[in-house]
CSV table of all heavy atoms in Angstrom, one decimal:
chain,number,residue,atom,x,y,z
A,734,ALA,N,-8.7,-4.6,-9.8
A,734,ALA,CA,-7.8,-5.1,-8.8
A,734,ALA,C,-6.6,-5.8,-9.4
A,734,ALA,O,-5.5,-5.8,-8.9
A,734,ALA,CB,-8.5,-5.9,-7.8
A,735,GLY,N,-6.8,-6.5,-10.6
A,735,GLY,CA,-5.8,-7.3,-11.1
A,735,GLY,C,-5.6,-8.6,-10.4
A,735,GLY,O,-6.4,-9.0,-9.4
A,736,THR,N,-4.5,-9.3,-10.7
A,736,THR,CA,-4.3,-10.7,-10.1
A,736,THR,C,-3.0,-10.7,-9.3
A,736,THR,O,-2.8,-11.8,-8.6
A,736,THR,CB,-4.2,-11.7,-11.2
A,736,THR,OG1,-3.1,-11.4,-12.1
A,736,THR,CG2,-5.5,-11.8,-12.0
A,737,ALA,N,-2.2,-9.7,-9.3
A,737,ALA,CA,-0.9,-9.8,-8.6
A,737,ALA,C,-1.0,-9.9,-7.1
A,737,ALA,O,-0.3,-10.7,-6.4
A,737,ALA,CB,0.0,-8.7,-9.0
A,738,ASN,N,-1.9,-9.1,-6.5
A,738,ASN,CA,-2.0,-9.0,-5.1
A,738,ASN,C,-3.3,-9.6,-4.6
A,738,ASN,O,-4.4,-9.2,-5.0
A,738,ASN,CB,-2.0,-7.5,-4.6
A,738,ASN,CG,-1.9,-7.3,-3.1
A,738,ASN,OD1,-2.9,-7.6,-2.4
A,738,ASN,ND2,-0.8,-6.9,-2.6
A,739,PRO,N,-3.2,-10.7,-3.8
A,739,PRO,CA,-4.4,-11.5,-3.5
A,739,PRO,C,-5.3,-10.8,-2.5
A,739,PRO,O,-6.5,-11.1,-2.5
A,739,PRO,CB,-3.8,-12.7,-2.8
A,739,PRO,CG,-2.5,-12.3,-2.2
A,739,PRO,CD,-2.0,-11.3,-3.2
A,740,PHE,N,-4.8,-9.8,-1.8
A,740,PHE,CA,-5.7,-9.2,-0.7
A,740,PHE,C,-6.7,-8.1,-1.3
A,740,PHE,O,-7.6,-7.8,-0.5
A,740,PHE,CB,-4.7,-8.5,0.3
A,740,PHE,CG,-3.8,-9.5,0.9
A,740,PHE,CD1,-2.4,-9.5,0.6
A,740,PHE,CD2,-4.2,-10.5,1.8
A,740,PHE,CE1,-1.6,-10.4,1.1
A,740,PHE,CE2,-3.4,-11.4,2.3
A,740,PHE,CZ,-2.0,-11.4,2.0
A,741,VAL,N,-6.4,-7.6,-2.5
A,741,VAL,CA,-7.4,-6.7,-3.0
A,741,VAL,C,-8.4,-7.4,-4.0
A,741,VAL,O,-9.3,-6.7,-4.6
A,741,VAL,CB,-6.8,-5.5,-3.7
A,741,VAL,CG1,-6.1,-4.6,-2.7
A,741,VAL,CG2,-5.8,-5.9,-4.8
A,742,ARG,N,-8.3,-8.7,-4.1
A,742,ARG,CA,-9.2,-9.5,-4.9
A,742,ARG,C,-10.6,-9.4,-4.2
A,742,ARG,O,-10.7,-9.4,-3.0
A,742,ARG,CB,-8.7,-10.9,-5.0
A,742,ARG,CG,-7.6,-11.1,-6.0
A,742,ARG,CD,-7.1,-12.5,-6.0
A,742,ARG,NE,-8.2,-13.5,-6.2
A,742,ARG,CZ,-7.9,-14.8,-6.2
A,742,ARG,NH1,-6.7,-15.3,-6.0
A,742,ARG,NH2,-8.9,-15.7,-6.3
A,743,HIS,N,-11.6,-9.5,-5.1
A,743,HIS,CA,-13.0,-9.5,-4.6
A,743,HIS,C,-13.2,-10.6,-3.6
A,743,HIS,O,-13.9,-10.4,-2.6
A,743,HIS,CB,-13.9,-9.6,-5.8
A,743,HIS,CG,-15.4,-9.4,-5.5
A,743,HIS,ND1,-16.2,-10.4,-4.9
A,743,HIS,CD2,-16.2,-8.3,-5.6
A,743,HIS,CE1,-17.4,-9.9,-4.8
A,743,HIS,NE2,-17.4,-8.7,-5.2
A,744,ALA,N,-12.7,-11.8,-3.9
A,744,ALA,CA,-12.9,-13.0,-3.0
A,744,ALA,C,-12.4,-12.7,-1.6
A,744,ALA,O,-13.0,-13.1,-0.7
A,744,ALA,CB,-12.3,-14.2,-3.7
A,745,PHE,N,-11.2,-12.1,-1.5
A,745,PHE,CA,-10.6,-11.9,-0.2
A,745,PHE,C,-11.5,-10.9,0.6
A,745,PHE,O,-11.8,-11.1,1.8
A,745,PHE,CB,-9.2,-11.5,-0.3
A,745,PHE,CG,-8.5,-11.5,1.0
A,745,PHE,CD1,-7.9,-12.6,1.5
A,745,PHE,CD2,-8.4,-10.3,1.8
A,745,PHE,CE1,-7.2,-12.6,2.7
A,745,PHE,CE2,-7.7,-10.3,3.0
A,745,PHE,CZ,-7.1,-11.5,3.5
A,746,LEU,N,-11.8,-9.8,0.0
A,746,LEU,CA,-12.6,-8.7,0.7
A,746,LEU,C,-14.0,-9.3,1.0
A,746,LEU,O,-14.5,-9.0,2.1
A,746,LEU,CB,-12.7,-7.5,-0.2
A,746,LEU,CG,-11.3,-6.8,-0.4
A,746,LEU,CD1,-11.5,-5.7,-1.5
A,746,LEU,CD2,-10.8,-6.2,0.9
A,747,HIS,N,-14.5,-10.1,0.1
A,747,HIS,CA,-15.9,-10.6,0.4
A,747,HIS,C,-15.8,-11.6,1.5
A,747,HIS,O,-16.7,-11.6,2.4
A,747,HIS,CB,-16.4,-11.3,-0.9
A,747,HIS,CG,-17.8,-11.8,-0.8
A,747,HIS,ND1,-18.2,-13.0,-0.3
A,747,HIS,CD2,-19.0,-11.1,-1.1
A,747,HIS,CE1,-19.5,-13.1,-0.3
A,747,HIS,NE2,-20.0,-11.9,-0.8
A,748,ALA,N,-14.7,-12.4,1.6
A,748,ALA,CA,-14.6,-13.3,2.8
A,748,ALA,C,-14.5,-12.5,4.1
A,748,ALA,O,-15.1,-12.9,5.1
A,748,ALA,CB,-13.3,-14.1,2.6
A,749,LEU,N,-13.8,-11.4,4.1
A,749,LEU,CA,-13.8,-10.6,5.3
A,749,LEU,C,-15.1,-10.0,5.7
A,749,LEU,O,-15.5,-10.0,6.9
A,749,LEU,CB,-12.8,-9.4,5.1
A,749,LEU,CG,-11.3,-9.7,5.1
A,749,LEU,CD1,-10.5,-8.5,4.6
A,749,LEU,CD2,-10.9,-10.1,6.5
A,750,GLU,N,-15.9,-9.5,4.7
A,750,GLU,CA,-17.2,-8.9,5.0
A,750,GLU,C,-18.3,-9.9,5.2
A,750,GLU,O,-19.0,-9.8,6.2
A,750,GLU,CB,-17.5,-7.9,3.9
A,750,GLU,CG,-16.5,-6.7,3.8
A,750,GLU,CD,-16.8,-5.8,2.6
A,750,GLU,OE1,-18.0,-5.8,2.1
A,750,GLU,OE2,-15.9,-5.0,2.2
A,751,ALA,N,-18.4,-10.9,4.4
A,751,ALA,CA,-19.5,-11.8,4.5
A,751,ALA,C,-19.3,-12.7,5.7
A,751,ALA,O,-20.3,-13.2,6.3
A,751,ALA,CB,-19.5,-12.7,3.2
A,752,SER,N,-18.1,-12.9,6.2
A,752,SER,CA,-17.9,-13.7,7.4
A,752,SER,C,-18.2,-12.9,8.7
A,752,SER,O,-18.1,-13.5,9.8
A,752,SER,CB,-16.4,-14.2,7.4
A,752,SER,OG,-15.5,-13.1,7.6
A,753,GLY,N,-18.4,-11.6,8.6
A,753,GLY,CA,-18.7,-10.8,9.8
A,753,GLY,C,-17.4,-10.4,10.5
A,753,GLY,O,-17.4,-9.8,11.6
A,754,SER,N,-16.2,-10.5,9.8
A,754,SER,CA,-15.0,-10.1,10.3
A,754,SER,C,-14.8,-8.6,10.2
A,754,SER,O,-14.3,-7.9,11.1
A,754,SER,CB,-13.8,-10.8,9.7
A,754,SER,OG,-13.9,-12.2,9.8
A,755,ALA,N,-15.1,-8.0,9.0
A,755,ALA,CA,-14.9,-6.6,8.7
A,755,ALA,C,-16.3,-6.0,8.4
A,755,ALA,O,-16.7,-5.9,7.2
A,755,ALA,CB,-13.9,-6.3,7.6
A,756,VAL,N,-17.1,-5.7,9.4
A,756,VAL,CA,-18.4,-5.2,9.3
A,756,VAL,C,-18.7,-4.1,10.2
A,756,VAL,O,-17.9,-3.8,11.1
A,756,VAL,CB,-19.5,-6.3,9.5
A,756,VAL,CG1,-19.4,-7.4,8.4
A,756,VAL,CG2,-19.2,-7.0,10.9
A,757,SER,N,-19.8,-3.4,10.0
A,757,SER,CA,-20.1,-2.2,10.9
A,757,SER,C,-20.1,-2.5,12.3
A,757,SER,O,-19.7,-1.7,13.2
A,757,SER,CB,-21.4,-1.5,10.4
A,757,SER,OG,-22.5,-2.4,10.5
A,758,GLN,N,-20.6,-3.7,12.7
A,758,GLN,CA,-20.8,-4.1,14.1
A,758,GLN,C,-19.4,-4.2,14.8
A,758,GLN,O,-19.3,-4.1,16.0
A,758,GLN,CB,-21.5,-5.4,14.2
A,758,GLN,CG,-23.0,-5.3,13.8
A,758,GLN,CD,-23.1,-5.8,12.3
A,758,GLN,OE1,-22.2,-5.5,11.5
A,758,GLN,NE2,-24.2,-6.4,12.0
A,759,ARG,N,-18.4,-4.4,14.0
A,759,ARG,CA,-17.0,-4.4,14.5
A,759,ARG,C,-16.2,-3.2,14.2
A,759,ARG,O,-15.0,-3.2,14.3
A,759,ARG,CB,-16.3,-5.7,14.0
A,759,ARG,CG,-16.9,-7.0,14.5
A,759,ARG,CD,-16.0,-8.1,14.1
A,759,ARG,NE,-16.4,-9.4,14.9
A,759,ARG,CZ,-15.7,-10.4,15.0
A,759,ARG,NH1,-14.4,-10.5,14.5
A,759,ARG,NH2,-16.1,-11.5,15.6
A,760,GLY,N,-16.9,-2.2,13.8
A,760,GLY,CA,-16.2,-0.9,13.5
A,760,GLY,C,-15.6,-0.7,12.1
A,760,GLY,O,-14.8,0.2,11.9
A,761,TRP,N,-16.0,-1.6,11.2
A,761,TRP,CA,-15.6,-1.5,9.8
A,761,TRP,C,-16.8,-1.4,8.9
A,761,TRP,O,-17.3,-2.5,8.5
A,761,TRP,CB,-14.7,-2.7,9.4
A,761,TRP,CG,-13.4,-2.9,10.1
A,761,TRP,CD1,-13.2,-3.4,11.4
A,761,TRP,CD2,-12.1,-2.5,9.6
A,761,TRP,NE1,-11.8,-3.4,11.7
A,761,TRP,CE2,-11.2,-2.8,10.6
A,761,TRP,CE3,-11.7,-1.9,8.4
A,761,TRP,CZ2,-9.8,-2.6,10.4
A,761,TRP,CZ3,-10.3,-1.7,8.2
A,761,TRP,CH2,-9.4,-2.0,9.2
A,762,LEU,N,-17.2,-0.2,8.6
A,762,LEU,CA,-18.4,-0.1,7.7
A,762,LEU,C,-17.9,0.1,6.3
A,762,LEU,O,-17.3,1.2,5.9
A,762,LEU,CB,-19.2,1.1,8.1
A,762,LEU,CG,-20.4,1.5,7.2
A,762,LEU,CD1,-21.5,0.3,7.3
A,762,LEU,CD2,-21.1,2.8,7.7
A,763,PRO,N,-18.1,-0.8,5.3
A,763,PRO,CA,-17.6,-0.7,4.0
A,763,PRO,C,-18.2,0.6,3.3
A,763,PRO,O,-19.4,0.8,3.4
A,763,PRO,CB,-18.1,-1.9,3.3
A,763,PRO,CG,-18.3,-2.9,4.4
A,763,PRO,CD,-18.8,-2.1,5.6
A,764,GLN,N,-17.4,1.3,2.6
A,764,GLN,CA,-17.7,2.5,1.8
A,764,GLN,C,-16.9,2.5,0.6
A,764,GLN,O,-16.2,3.5,0.2
A,764,GLN,CB,-17.5,3.8,2.6
A,764,GLN,CG,-18.4,3.9,3.8
A,764,GLN,CD,-19.8,4.3,3.5
A,764,GLN,OE1,-20.2,5.4,3.2
A,764,GLN,NE2,-20.7,3.3,3.4
A,765,HIS,N,-16.8,1.4,-0.1
A,765,HIS,CA,-15.9,1.2,-1.3
A,765,HIS,C,-16.2,2.3,-2.4
A,765,HIS,O,-17.4,2.4,-2.8
A,765,HIS,CB,-16.0,-0.2,-1.8
A,765,HIS,CG,-15.8,-1.2,-0.8
A,765,HIS,ND1,-14.7,-1.2,0.0
A,765,HIS,CD2,-16.5,-2.3,-0.4
A,765,HIS,CE1,-14.7,-2.2,0.9
A,765,HIS,NE2,-15.8,-2.9,0.6
A,766,THR,N,-15.2,2.9,-2.8
A,766,THR,CA,-15.3,4.1,-3.7
A,766,THR,C,-15.1,3.6,-5.1
A,766,THR,O,-14.1,2.9,-5.4
A,766,THR,CB,-14.3,5.1,-3.4
A,766,THR,OG1,-14.5,5.6,-2.0
A,766,THR,CG2,-14.4,6.3,-4.3
A,767,LEU,N,-16.1,3.9,-6.0
A,767,LEU,CA,-16.2,3.4,-7.4
A,767,LEU,C,-16.2,4.5,-8.4
A,767,LEU,O,-16.9,5.5,-8.1
A,767,LEU,CB,-17.4,2.5,-7.6
A,767,LEU,CG,-17.7,1.4,-6.5
A,767,LEU,CD1,-19.0,0.7,-6.8
A,767,LEU,CD2,-16.6,0.4,-6.4
Side-chain angles (χ1 to χ4, degrees):
T736 59
N738 186 289
F740 302 105
V741 292
R742 284 173 52 183
H743 190 279
F745 190 84
L746 295 171
H747 189 268
L749 285 170
E750 295 178 18
S752 68
S754 301
V756 291
S757 59
Q758 295 92 326
R759 292 191 170 197
W761 293 82
L762 177 65
Q764 294 287 277
H765 305 310
T766 302
L767 312 176

